[in-house]
Amino acid sequence: VASAYNGNVYNYVKDAINGSVISLGDTNKPQGVCVSQDQKTVYIANRENSSISIIANDQYIGDVMVGNEPYGICEGLYNDIYVACYHDNAVYKIEQDNSSKYKVSAIINVDDGPSGICCDSDGTIWVACANAATVCKIVNSTVVMHIDTGDDSIARPTGICCDSTDNIWVANYTSNTVVKINHSHKILTVQVDGGPIDLVTDSGNNV
């Protein structure tokens, strides 16, 4: 759990009341969290200082500088990291070089206000762009499709996730809706309460 309030990252073991704490500093404003597929490394998007903090085995490893206001963060299929940088309207791709150092390997321009980001089972990256009311579909570091999530004056998509059948679910914060997208277009809109910011799916594809 990343706390933008105090700059701490909390690690809770199952059923534990209190977790271990790693402090990143209260000026970082950590916003997004991603756990690697092997569950050994945690990546934190620091909104305030435009960086990604790397934590391995409960130890702070270091930072990688990215674009302005990183919000969402996810891991691709091949241990590459994708970061949605809200103010830059871009997704930054981070990889490890031959000496295992992390570096930005690509900057992908997307629609206005990228916030949430996720990866499906094919390695396709999906980005919720709040100000444009769209989802950008990224294949091989290239935007190949822009999908509307609703009226761009009221939708404001912020959260996004992928279910086990590779349907994409999007939380529209301002219009109080959740949208289901297949590989090319919106197929379902559900009205919900109170400004949904983020969402997840379980093993039964419940949202």
Side-chain angles (χ1 to χ4, degrees):
V1 181
S3 171
Y5 174 74
N6 59 18
N8 289 339
V9 176
Y10 300 87
N11 177 20
Y12 292 91
V13 180
K14 182 179 180 181
D15 297 328
I17 298 176
N18 297 311
S20 60
V21 180
I22 298 173
S23 178
L24 301 177
D26 58 8
T27 60
N28 279 359
K29 305 296 184 188
Q31 186 79 28
V33 179
C34 169
V35 180
S36 63
Q37 297 175 53
D38 62 10
Q39 300 186 351
K40 294 181 179 179
T41 307
V42 178
Y43 305 95
I44 311 294
N46 297 312
R47 174 171 56 86
E48 194 71 16
N49 74 351
S50 302
S51 69
I52 303 303
S53 292
I54 302 167
I55 299 170
N57 300 316
D58 286 339
Q59 298 294 320
Y60 168 73
I61 303 300
D63 289 348
V64 179
M65 301 307 297
V66 291
N68 291 320
E69 294 190 44
Y71 273 68
I73 183 169
C74 74
E75 186 179 39
L77 290 185
Y78 305 105
N79 302 317
D80 40 357
I81 305 300
Y82 295 84
V83 187
C85 293
Y86 180 86
H87 188 71
D88 284 356
N89 299 332
V91 170
Y92 282 63
K93 181 180 179 180
I94 299 172
E95 296 180 290
Q96 287 183 285
D97 61 20
N98 292 333
S99 59
S100 296
K101 292 183 178 180
Y102 291 89
K103 65 176 184 179
V104 174
S105 61
I107 301 174
I108 307 160
N109 294 322
V110 295
D111 294 339
D112 191 9
S115 299
I117 189 167
C118 68
C119 177
D120 68 19
S121 64
D122 292 329
T124 299
I125 304 299
W126 301 83
V127 189
C129 297
N131 298 336
T134 60
V135 168
C136 288
K137 179 180 180 179
I138 299 173
V139 178
N140 295 327
S141 299
T142 301
V143 175
V144 298
M145 191 174 296
H146 308 257
I147 303 171
D148 292 334
T149 69
D151 186 334
D152 60 5
S153 66
I154 61 172
R156 198 166 179 79
T158 53
I160 190 167
C161 68
C162 179
D163 67 24
S164 64
T165 57
D166 282 343
N167 289 305
I168 304 301
W169 295 85
V170 184
N172 285 327
Y173 173 75
T174 310
S175 62
N176 298 329
T177 56
V178 170
V179 171
K180 182 180 181 181
I181 295 172
N182 65 10
H183 286 278
S184 61
H185 62 279
K186 180 174 62 177
I187 58 175
L188 177 69
T189 299
V190 180
Q191 196 72 34
V192 295
D193 294 328
I197 294 177
D198 211 346
L199 71 178
V200 295
T201 61
D202 62 18
S203 59
N205 290 333
N206 298 299
V207 180

